[in-house]
PDB file of all heavy atoms in Angstrom:
ATOM      1  N   THR A  28      28.268  11.531  44.194  1.00 96.00           N
ATOM      2  CA  THR A  28      28.756  12.595  45.077  1.00 96.00           C
ATOM      3  C   THR A  28      28.285  13.962  44.616  1.00 96.00           C
ATOM      4  O   THR A  28      28.861  14.978  45.011  1.00 96.00           O
ATOM      5  CB  THR A  28      30.299  12.563  45.152  1.00 96.00           C
ATOM      6  OG1 THR A  28      30.824  12.474  43.810  1.00 96.00           O
ATOM      7  CG2 THR A  28      30.798  11.378  45.950  1.00 96.00           C
ATOM      8  N   SER A  29      27.274  13.993  43.751  1.00 97.00           N
ATOM      9  CA  SER A  29      26.701  15.272  43.312  1.00 97.00           C
ATOM     10  C   SER A  29      25.229  15.335  43.694  1.00 97.00           C
ATOM     11  O   SER A  29      24.640  14.344  44.131  1.00 97.00           O
ATOM     12  CB  SER A  29      26.841  15.416  41.792  1.00 97.00           C
ATOM     13  OG  SER A  29      28.149  15.769  41.446  1.00 97.00           O
ATOM     14  N   LEU A  71      29.202  21.208  42.036  1.00 96.00           N
ATOM     15  CA  LEU A  71      28.767  19.817  42.228  1.00 96.00           C
ATOM     16  C   LEU A  71      27.325  19.713  42.719  1.00 96.00           C
ATOM     17  O   LEU A  71      26.741  18.631  42.737  1.00 96.00           O
ATOM     18  CB  LEU A  71      29.694  19.098  43.211  1.00 96.00           C
ATOM     19  CG  LEU A  71      31.162  19.028  42.799  1.00 96.00           C
ATOM     20  CD1 LEU A  71      31.983  18.336  43.862  1.00 96.00           C
ATOM     21  CD2 LEU A  71      31.308  18.320  41.461  1.00 96.00           C
ATOM     22  N   LYS A  74      23.386  21.334  39.424  1.00 98.00           N
ATOM     23  CA  LYS A  74      23.292  20.455  38.257  1.00 98.00           C
ATOM     24  C   LYS A  74      21.841  20.112  37.956  1.00 98.00           C
ATOM     25  O   LYS A  74      21.025  20.037  38.867  1.00 98.00           O
ATOM     26  CB  LYS A  74      24.057  19.155  38.546  1.00 98.00           C
ATOM     27  CG  LYS A  74      25.526  19.408  38.843  1.00 98.00           C
ATOM     28  CD  LYS A  74      26.297  18.130  38.989  1.00 98.00           C
ATOM     29  CE  LYS A  74      27.774  18.427  38.828  1.00 98.00           C
ATOM     30  NZ  LYS A  74      28.544  17.291  38.440  1.00 98.00           N
ATOM     31  N   GLN A  94      24.948  21.717  33.250  1.00 97.00           N
ATOM     32  CA  GLN A  94      25.699  22.316  34.369  1.00 97.00           C
ATOM     33  C   GLN A  94      25.242  23.762  34.487  1.00 97.00           C
ATOM     34  O   GLN A  94      25.330  24.532  33.532  1.00 97.00           O
ATOM     35  CB  GLN A  94      27.205  22.256  34.080  1.00 97.00           C
ATOM     36  CG  GLN A  94      28.067  22.864  35.170  1.00 97.00           C
ATOM     37  CD  GLN A  94      28.100  22.015  36.438  1.00 97.00           C
ATOM     38  OE1 GLN A  94      28.405  20.837  36.397  1.00 97.00           O
ATOM     39  NE2 GLN A  94      27.759  22.634  37.565  1.00 97.00           N
ATOM     40  N   GLN A 106      29.279  18.837  28.728  1.00 93.00           N
ATOM     41  CA  GLN A 106      29.839  17.649  29.374  1.00 93.00           C
ATOM     42  C   GLN A 106      28.731  16.724  29.856  1.00 93.00           C
ATOM     43  O   GLN A 106      27.592  17.127  30.016  1.00 93.00           O
ATOM     44  CB  GLN A 106      30.707  18.038  30.574  1.00 93.00           C
ATOM     45  CG  GLN A 106      29.888  18.580  31.751  1.00 93.00           C
ATOM     46  CD  GLN A 106      30.676  18.636  33.038  1.00 93.00           C
ATOM     47  OE1 GLN A 106      31.375  19.595  33.294  1.00 93.00           O
ATOM     48  NE2 GLN A 106      30.558  17.599  33.868  1.00 93.00           N
ATOM     49  N   ASN A 107      29.114  15.473  30.089  1.00 94.00           N
ATOM     50  CA  ASN A 107      28.242  14.522  30.768  1.00 94.00           C
ATOM     51  C   ASN A 107      28.418  14.639  32.273  1.00 94.00           C
ATOM     52  O   ASN A 107      29.370  15.252  32.742  1.00 94.00           O
ATOM     53  CB  ASN A 107      28.658  13.092  30.399  1.00 94.00           C
ATOM     54  CG  ASN A 107      28.138  12.687  29.044  1.00 94.00           C
ATOM     55  OD1 ASN A 107      27.011  13.000  28.702  1.00 94.00           O
ATOM     56  ND2 ASN A 107      28.953  11.984  28.285  1.00 94.00           N
ATOM     57  N   CYS A 108      27.559  13.993  33.018  1.00 97.00           N
ATOM     58  CA  CYS A 108      27.818  13.840  34.455  1.00 97.00           C
ATOM     59  C   CYS A 108      27.465  12.408  34.847  1.00 97.00           C
ATOM     60  O   CYS A 108      26.295  12.019  34.841  1.00 97.00           O
ATOM     61  CB  CYS A 108      27.002  14.828  35.281  1.00 97.00           C
ATOM     62  SG  CYS A 108      27.238  14.557  37.043  1.00 97.00           S
ATOM     63  N   GLY A 109      28.507  11.644  35.174  1.00 96.00           N
ATOM     64  CA  GLY A 109      28.320  10.246  35.550  1.00 96.00           C
ATOM     65  C   GLY A 109      27.755  10.097  36.949  1.00 96.00           C
ATOM     66  O   GLY A 109      27.260   9.028  37.311  1.00 96.00           O
ATOM     67  N   ASN A 110      27.826  11.170  37.748  1.00 97.00           N
ATOM     68  CA  ASN A 110      27.240  11.095  39.083  1.00 97.00           C
ATOM     69  C   ASN A 110      25.723  11.257  39.017  1.00 97.00           C
ATOM     70  O   ASN A 110      24.995  10.412  39.531  1.00 97.00           O
ATOM     71  CB  ASN A 110      27.888  12.130  40.010  1.00 97.00           C
ATOM     72  CG  ASN A 110      29.112  11.551  40.701  1.00 97.00           C
ATOM     73  OD1 ASN A 110      29.043  10.468  41.266  1.00 97.00           O
ATOM     74  ND2 ASN A 110      30.236  12.240  40.636  1.00 97.00           N
ATOM     75  N   LEU A 111      25.244  12.313  38.360  1.00 98.00           N
ATOM     76  CA  LEU A 111      23.778  12.440  38.222  1.00 98.00           C
ATOM     77  C   LEU A 111      23.202  11.267  37.433  1.00 98.00           C
ATOM     78  O   LEU A 111      22.042  10.884  37.617  1.00 98.00           O
ATOM     79  CB  LEU A 111      23.389  13.752  37.540  1.00 98.00           C
ATOM     80  CG  LEU A 111      23.446  15.038  38.352  1.00 98.00           C
ATOM     81  CD1 LEU A 111      22.445  16.057  37.798  1.00 98.00           C
ATOM     82  CD2 LEU A 111      23.189  14.858  39.831  1.00 98.00           C
ATOM     83  N   MET A 207      34.813  11.654  29.527  1.00 95.00           N
ATOM     84  CA  MET A 207      35.008  13.040  29.973  1.00 95.00           C
ATOM     85  C   MET A 207      36.370  13.495  29.467  1.00 95.00           C
ATOM     86  O   MET A 207      37.392  12.897  29.838  1.00 95.00           O
ATOM     87  CB  MET A 207      34.990  13.098  31.507  1.00 95.00           C
ATOM     88  CG  MET A 207      35.126  14.503  32.073  1.00 95.00           C
ATOM     89  SD  MET A 207      33.670  15.511  31.757  1.00 95.00           S
ATOM     90  CE  MET A 207      32.503  14.817  32.922  1.00 95.00           C
ATOM     91  N   LYS A 261      38.536  18.732  31.863  1.00 97.00           N
ATOM     92  CA  LYS A 261      38.890  18.747  33.277  1.00 97.00           C
ATOM     93  C   LYS A 261      40.395  18.544  33.385  1.00 97.00           C
ATOM     94  O   LYS A 261      41.039  18.048  32.451  1.00 97.00           O
ATOM     95  CB  LYS A 261      38.193  17.606  34.030  1.00 97.00           C
ATOM     96  CG  LYS A 261      36.713  17.480  33.739  1.00 97.00           C
ATOM     97  CD  LYS A 261      35.913  18.591  34.333  1.00 97.00           C
ATOM     98  CE  LYS A 261      34.436  18.420  33.998  1.00 97.00           C
ATOM     99  NZ  LYS A 261      33.627  19.538  34.445  1.00 97.00           N
ATOM    100  N   VAL A 280      37.461  21.196  37.995  1.00 94.00           N
ATOM    101  CA  VAL A 280      36.255  20.938  37.189  1.00 94.00           C
ATOM    102  C   VAL A 280      35.599  22.180  36.574  1.00 94.00           C
ATOM    103  O   VAL A 280      34.378  22.239  36.582  1.00 94.00           O
ATOM    104  CB  VAL A 280      35.242  20.145  38.036  1.00 94.00           C
ATOM    105  CG1 VAL A 280      35.724  18.760  38.365  1.00 94.00           C
ATOM    106  CG2 VAL A 280      34.816  20.855  39.322  1.00 94.00           C
ATOM    107  N   HIS A 285      37.610  19.583  42.722  1.00 96.00           N
ATOM    108  CA  HIS A 285      36.595  18.606  43.139  1.00 96.00           C
ATOM    109  C   HIS A 285      36.919  18.111  44.554  1.00 96.00           C
ATOM    110  O   HIS A 285      38.077  17.840  44.870  1.00 96.00           O
ATOM    111  CB  HIS A 285      36.614  17.435  42.155  1.00 96.00           C
ATOM    112  CG  HIS A 285      35.311  16.712  42.025  1.00 96.00           C
ATOM    113  ND1 HIS A 285      34.641  16.192  43.108  1.00 96.00           N
ATOM    114  CD2 HIS A 285      34.554  16.418  40.942  1.00 96.00           C
ATOM    115  CE1 HIS A 285      33.528  15.599  42.678  1.00 96.00           C
ATOM    116  NE2 HIS A 285      33.453  15.727  41.378  1.00 96.00           N
ATOM    117  N   ILE A 288      35.996  13.066  42.932  1.00 97.00           N
ATOM    118  CA  ILE A 288      36.324  13.069  41.505  1.00 97.00           C
ATOM    119  C   ILE A 288      35.064  12.645  40.766  1.00 97.00           C
ATOM    120  O   ILE A 288      34.271  11.842  41.300  1.00 97.00           O
ATOM    121  CB  ILE A 288      37.516  12.133  41.176  1.00 97.00           C
ATOM    122  CG1 ILE A 288      37.955  12.297  39.701  1.00 97.00           C
ATOM    123  CG2 ILE A 288      37.205  10.680  41.499  1.00 97.00           C
ATOM    124  CD1 ILE A 288      39.279  11.599  39.356  1.00 97.00           C
ATOM    125  N   GLY A 289      34.829  13.179  39.593  1.00 96.00           N
ATOM    126  CA  GLY A 289      33.667  12.785  38.797  1.00 96.00           C
ATOM    127  C   GLY A 289      33.804  11.331  38.353  1.00 96.00           C
ATOM    128  O   GLY A 289      34.907  10.789  38.264  1.00 96.00           O
ATOM    129  N   VAL A 290      32.669  10.712  38.060  1.00 96.00           N
ATOM    130  CA  VAL A 290      32.681   9.305  37.632  1.00 96.00           C
ATOM    131  C   VAL A 290      33.404   9.155  36.292  1.00 96.00           C
ATOM    132  O   VAL A 290      34.318   8.331  36.135  1.00 96.00           O
ATOM    133  CB  VAL A 290      31.235   8.798  37.491  1.00 96.00           C
ATOM    134  CG1 VAL A 290      31.201   7.425  36.859  1.00 96.00           C
ATOM    135  CG2 VAL A 290      30.565   8.774  38.843  1.00 96.00           C
ATOM    136  N   LEU A 291      32.981   9.955  35.327  1.00 96.00           N
ATOM    137  CA  LEU A 291      33.594   9.830  34.005  1.00 96.00           C
ATOM    138  C   LEU A 291      34.995  10.440  34.011  1.00 96.00           C
ATOM    139  O   LEU A 291      35.862  10.020  33.244  1.00 96.00           O
ATOM    140  CB  LEU A 291      32.691  10.478  32.945  1.00 96.00           C
ATOM    141  CG  LEU A 291      31.398   9.684  32.771  1.00 96.00           C
ATOM    142  CD1 LEU A 291      30.301  10.531  32.150  1.00 96.00           C
ATOM    143  CD2 LEU A 291      31.651   8.436  31.928  1.00 96.00           C
ATOM    144  N   GLY A 292      35.202  11.402  34.901  1.00 96.00           N
ATOM    145  CA  GLY A 292      36.558  11.916  35.101  1.00 96.00           C
ATOM    146  C   GLY A 292      37.460  10.786  35.588  1.00 96.00           C
ATOM    147  O   GLY A 292      38.575  10.582  35.081  1.00 96.00           O
ATOM    148  N   ALA A 293      36.985  10.023  36.568  1.00 96.00           N
ATOM    149  CA  ALA A 293      37.773   8.897  37.090  1.00 96.00           C
ATOM    150  C   ALA A 293      37.942   7.816  36.031  1.00 96.00           C
ATOM    151  O   ALA A 293      39.008   7.185  35.920  1.00 96.00           O
ATOM    152  CB  ALA A 293      37.093   8.320  38.335  1.00 96.00           C
TER     153      ALA A 293
HETATM  154  O1  NQM B 401      32.895  13.048  35.666  1.00 82.51           O
HETATM  155  C1  NQM B 401      32.024  16.786  38.181  1.00 82.51           C
HETATM  156  C2  NQM B 401      30.687  15.147  39.273  1.00 82.51           C
HETATM  157  C3  NQM B 401      31.289  15.706  38.060  1.00 82.51           C
HETATM  158  C4  NQM B 401      31.042  15.089  36.782  1.00 82.51           C
HETATM  159  C5  NQM B 401      32.689  17.448  37.103  1.00 82.51           C
HETATM  160  C6  NQM B 401      30.923  13.625  36.808  1.00 82.51           C
HETATM  161  C7  NQM B 401      31.701  12.798  35.890  1.00 82.51           C
HETATM  162  O2  NQM B 401      31.389  14.773  40.177  1.00 82.51           O
HETATM  163  O3  NQM B 401      31.113  11.840  35.415  1.00 82.51           O
HETATM  164  O4  NQM B 401      30.182  13.050  37.558  1.00 82.51           O
HETATM  165  O5  NQM B 401      33.631  16.866  36.583  1.00 82.51           O
HETATM  166  O6  NQM B 401      32.296  18.570  36.782  1.00 82.51           O
HETATM  167  O7  NQM B 401      29.457  15.086  39.356  1.00 82.51           O
END
Side-chain angles (χ1 to χ4, degrees):
T28 48
S29 283
L71 300 178
K74 300 186 162 203
Q94 179 71 54
Q106 70 166 85
N107 281 320
C108 176
N110 271 310
L111 283 207
M207 182 69 74
K261 312 289 179 185
V280 293
H285 207 306
I288 187 170
V290 172
L291 292 159

